[in-house]
Amino acid sequence: MKPIIDPYGSELIADYQKLITDFGLEPFPANAFPNPNRLMRRNIIFAGRGLDAIAKAIREHKPYYVLTGIMPTAEKIHLGTKMVIEQVKYYQDHGAETYVLVADLEAAAAREVTLDEAKNRALAFHIPAYIALGLNPKKTTFYFQSENKQVMHLAYEFSHKITLNEFRAVYGNADPARILSALTQAGDILYPQLAKRMPGIIPTGPDQDPHLRLARDIVRRSRDRKFIMPSSSYHKFMPALNGAMKMSKSHPESYVELPEEASSIKKKINRALTGGRDTLEEHKRLGAAIEKDMVFELLKFHLIEDDQELQRIHGSYKAGTMASGEIKRIAIERLTAFMADFEKKLDAARKLVDRLGFVRFT
Ligand code: TRP
C-alpha cells in the first residue's frame, strides 16, 4: 500500500482523490445516509466500497451488519480508534447488527502476543473502552477469534480461493503469519452472513483496504456460499500533532492516547504545530495558515460537533482575529472534558464486562 500523504488535512484532498482513483474506491456519498454524523458530514469518511447497499438497507429498514476488530496488542487506544467506533455506533444506531471481535489469533500470529495476554487485555481495557466510546453492549455481539470455530472453518475454506501470487499482489508480501491473519480476517468479515444473508459494512482506515479486496475476491469465488459482497468505508488520517504524516509509536508526544492525563494533554497541545504567525502583528495582517494547523485539525476531526461553531472558529482564525493561543485553549478544554467523561464511562463499562453477551463456542 502506498503511503497516504495528508499532513495538512483538507489542503491535500487531491491526494485522497488520487487514492480513490488508484484503488478504484467510491467517494463516500454522505447525502445517501440519514443524519450523517460529524465525520461523514466533513468528508473525513471519504471513500469506501459497496456503499449503496448499506445506504439502501438503512433506508428500507432491511437487515445489515457492521463489524470491527480489536487488535489487543497496544496498552491504549488513540483517536483513530475513536473514529472507527463512532462509525460503528452510527450504523448501530441506524439498525445494524453489530459485531466486535477480538483479533487474538492475529495478535498471536503477527505480533507475538500470547492468546491469554491478548484476551486479558481486551477484557480489561479494549472492550470497556469501545463501550465507553458509545457502543451499546446490549446490542453488540462480541467474540474472540480463537474461540470462533466457524470463523476458523471459513479461513480454511478460503485458503484455496487465492493463490500465493495473488496474495502477494494484494499485500506486497506473503509470509505465513500474514496469510493466516488475512484469511482469518476474511472469515470474520463474512461470519455474520452464516446466520443471515445480509449486506455488511466494515468501517476502517484505507490502509485496511487490501483485507476488503481479499474478502470481496473470495466472495466472487465462493458462489455456492451465496455471500453478499461486504462493504467498507474509509476515514482520513489525522496528522500527528507535530505535523508528521504518520503517527509514530516512538513519538508518543505527537498523538493523543485514550486515556490520557490532563497535564499531558495540555503539554501535547501546547507543543503542537499551529498555523499561527511569528508575531501578533503578522498574525493580524495575514491570518493563520490553517492548512498547517494541527490543533484546528483536532477541532475538526474530534472536538467540535457543531458545524457552525467550527465554521466561526475557522473564519476568525483565518482572518487573524483569533490567535493560535485561543485555538489551543479551546482544544485543551474540550479534550480534557472529553477525557474525563471517557474515563468515567470506562470505569462503568469495566464493571459490565463480566455480564456481556460473548458468543462462546466451547
Ligand atoms: N487486522 C485488524 C487490525 O489490525 C483487526 C481485525 C481482525 C479486523 N479481523 C477484523 C478488523 C475484521 C476489521 C474486520 O486492527
Side-chain angles (χ1 to χ4, degrees):
M1 177 94 192
K2 286 172 221 151
I4 291 131
I5 302 169
D6 180 41
Y8 305 128
S10 46
E11 247 220 346
L12 283 165
I13 279 176
D15 290 311
Y16 281 108
Q17 212 53 56
K18 185 162 163 16
L19 202 69
I20 289 175
T21 323
D22 287 359
F23 289 91
L25 305 175
E26 304 159 16
F28 189 84
N31 292 334
F33 289 84
N35 302 314
N37 68 14
R38 179 183 79 256
L39 301 170
M40 295 159 141
R41 290 196 309 271
R42 297 183 189 164
N43 204 34
I44 292 168
I45 308 303
F46 75 101
R49 294 182 184 274
L51 292 160
D52 289 344
I54 302 302
K56 188 161 182 276
I58 297 178
R59 266 198 320 272
E60 297 177 0
H61 303 284
K62 294 271 164 61
Y64 76 106
Y65 64 99
V66 59
L67 177 138
T68 192
I70 291 175
M71 175 48 82
T73 43
E75 297 279 345
K76 291 185 170 189
I77 53 174
H78 49 78
L79 290 173
T81 320
K82 174 174 167 281
M83 283 200 271
V84 171
I85 301 310
E86 285 180 295
Q87 285 311 105
V88 173
K89 180 173 164 48
Y90 171 86
Y91 295 112
Q92 178 167 74
D93 291 345
H94 288 83
E97 296 182 19
T98 309
Y99 289 82
V100 176
L101 63 104
V102 179
D104 57 348
L105 285 181
E106 180 178 343
R111 318 268 179 107
E112 296 176 17
V113 175
T114 68
L115 283 182
D116 279 346
E117 279 166 359
K119 224 173 252 186
N120 290 335
R121 219 178 271 173
L123 288 171
F125 176 65
H126 293 81
I127 290 173
Y130 280 30
I131 294 168
L133 289 174
L135 292 194
N136 180 344
K138 292 207 191 90
K139 290 189 181 171
T140 306
T141 302
F142 295 92
Y143 72 82
F144 293 97
Q145 277 179 334
S146 65
E147 293 181 359
N148 192 331
K149 262 195 185 167
Q150 285 175 292
V151 164
M152 276 185 261
H153 291 184
L154 285 176
Y156 273 78
E157 181 180 324
F158 297 162
S159 68
H160 65 92
K161 302 286 183 197
I162 179 153
T163 68
L164 198 56
N165 280 334
E166 286 172 325
F167 195 91
R168 241 185 231 118
V170 174
Y171 287 90
N173 105 10
D175 59 69
R178 254 189 212 223
I179 295 175
L180 277 174
S181 302
L183 291 170
T184 307
Q185 181 151 347
D188 289 327
I189 289 172
L190 296 167
Y191 162 70
Q193 295 196 37
L194 294 179
K196 197 186 290 172
R197 189 169 179 268
M198 58 184 167
I201 180 151
I202 322 296
T204 181
D207 55 320
Q208 300 281 313
D209 186 53
H211 292 305
L212 264 297
R213 270 160 43 211
L214 178 71
R216 289 166 68 92
D217 280 346
I218 286 170
V219 166
R220 280 183 205 103
R221 293 168 189 187
S222 309
R223 291 245 156 76
D224 45 327
R225 279 287 197 180
K226 296 197 166 55
F227 286 127
I228 293 180
M229 212 47 113
S231 309
S232 58
S233 75
Y234 302 124
H235 61 74
K236 294 180 182 170
F237 293 112
M238 229 219 62
L241 290 174
N242 60 9
M245 290 184 303
K246 238 181 119 52
M247 231 175 61
S248 152
K249 292 264 183 268
S250 53
H251 292 286
E253 76 282 1
S254 69
Y255 62 94
V256 177
E257 293 186 310
L258 272 68
E260 175 138 5
E261 288 194 11
S263 59
S264 148
I265 287 175
K266 195 168 168 193
K267 215 183 285 169
K268 286 183 182 181
I269 291 182
N270 276 330
R271 285 186 194 152
L273 181 70
T274 74
R277 307 289 177 178
D278 290 344
T279 66
L280 197 57
E281 184 276 322
E282 205 183 327
H283 188 81
K284 283 192 172 143
R285 188 159 47 84
L286 300 171
I290 294 199
E291 66 288 353
K292 285 192 198 145
D293 199 292
M294 298 307 121
V295 184
F296 184 78
E297 288 293 288
L298 203 53
L299 299 184
K300 181 174 93 187
F301 271 66
H302 293 285
L303 300 177
I304 299 212
E305 194 58 47
D306 184 327
D307 291 341
Q308 283 176 1
E309 188 183 1
L310 187 71
Q311 208 52 51
R312 266 200 308 276
I313 293 174
H314 187 272
S316 326
Y317 196 34
K318 207 172 163 66
T321 51
M322 195 180 231
S324 63
E326 180 65 2
I327 298 277
K328 284 182 172 173
R329 193 191 57 72
I330 297 172
I332 291 168
E333 193 184 290
R334 300 281 172 120
L335 192 52
T336 309
F338 163 80
M339 210 60 85
D341 182 58
F342 173 73
E343 294 209 48
K344 206 171 76 206
K345 289 177 173 159
L346 185 63
D347 276 345
R350 279 186 164 131
K351 299 191 182 103
L352 259 177
V353 163
D354 293 343
R355 289 184 274 130
L356 286 180
F358 282 95
V359 187
R360 301 229 97 124
F361 304 87
T362 42

